Amino acid sequence: IYLLTCPAAMGPNGSVALDMVIKQGLQARTVGVFTMCDEADSERQRNLLLQRLAPVATGGDANGAVPLAPHGWVATMTKPEKEEGFTRLHAQSRAEQEWFKSRIPAALAGRAGCGALMSRLEELFHGYLLATWCPSTLQKIAAELEKVQVDVSLLGGPALQGEPQRARGFAVAEALKVLAQLAYC
């Protein structure tokens, strides 16, 4: 999972990090983040930001923002608040929501704010858990189960009753249930 950040006032095409993402073919595992949107004050900068946030149907350049399919770009604004601790974080969150509400069309609301960023990161992480981590973990559990079965038989323990494949399948199915619950916590 990769997070590519770029100040909103400038286009990401000049970014060394974006060049690396493209060269390595990591677009599908990358979320782009336009930061400091509150500093993109001019009308021109705001219009460019809106164009860069809009999903691009073509595979080409989006007015200076390379499409990062399927997760795209998200805009954030973290103007510091004067309060301290968690109170400051809540005030920052409210300020960000208000700021975007007054400047971003409703159609792009899902692409603005730290909440939108968190949604995309959760989506990526759950996809990784289900597509990569769970299968790998299940293979390791199955391999360990086979080792334990061999160890038990070498120590003179009782053989598994019934078909070993059925017992192994049951253990893997139970592990999968637990892993699936963990993935959606």
Side-chain angles (χ1 to χ4, degrees), residues 130-150:
L130 294 174
T132 305
W133 187 81
C134 283
S136 170
T137 302
L138 287 175
Q139 287 175 346
K140 290 175 184 175
I141 289 171
E144 279 302 310
L145 179 61
E146 287 178 20
K147 287 179 189 176
V148 168
Q149 289 171 342
V150 168

Side-chain angles (χ1 to χ4, degrees), residues 12-28:
N13 275 351
S15 166
V16 174
L18 179 62
D19 289 342
M20 186 181 78
V21 165
I22 292 169
K23 284 178 185 171
Q24 298 297 319
L26 303 172
Q27 295 95 317

Side-chain angles (χ1 to χ4, degrees), residues 32-45:
V33 183
F34 290 114
T35 61
M36 300 181 281
C37 288
D38 50 312
E39 293 180 13
D41 288 335
S42 75
E43 186 71 25
R44 181 182 169 280
Q45 287 174 326

Side-chain angles (χ1 to χ4, degrees), residues 17-102:
L18 179 62
D19 289 342
M20 186 181 78
V21 165
I22 292 169
K23 284 178 185 171
Q24 298 297 319
L26 303 172
Q27 295 95 317
R29 296 183 348 206
T30 302
V31 175
V33 183
F34 290 114
T35 61
M36 300 181 281
C37 288
D38 50 312
E39 293 180 13
D41 288 335
S42 75
E43 186 71 25
R44 181 182 169 280
Q45 287 174 326
R46 277 198 293 269
N47 287 337
L48 279 173
L49 176 63
L50 292 175
Q51 289 173 8
R52 290 172 179 155
L53 282 177
V56 180
T58 67
D61 188 300
N63 229 346
V66 173
L68 296 173
H71 306 289
W73 291 85
V74 176
T76 62
M77 184 226 66
T78 53
K79 187 175 183 177
E81 294 292 321
K82 293 178 179 155
E83 299 169 30
E84 303 250 344
F86 284 118
T87 307
R88 179 183 59 83
L89 293 175
H90 288 293
Q92 240 177 325
S93 175
R94 282 190 304 275
E96 181 186 53
Q97 290 170 16
E98 290 301 316
W99 193 88
F100 280 121
K101 193 181 248 182
S102 67

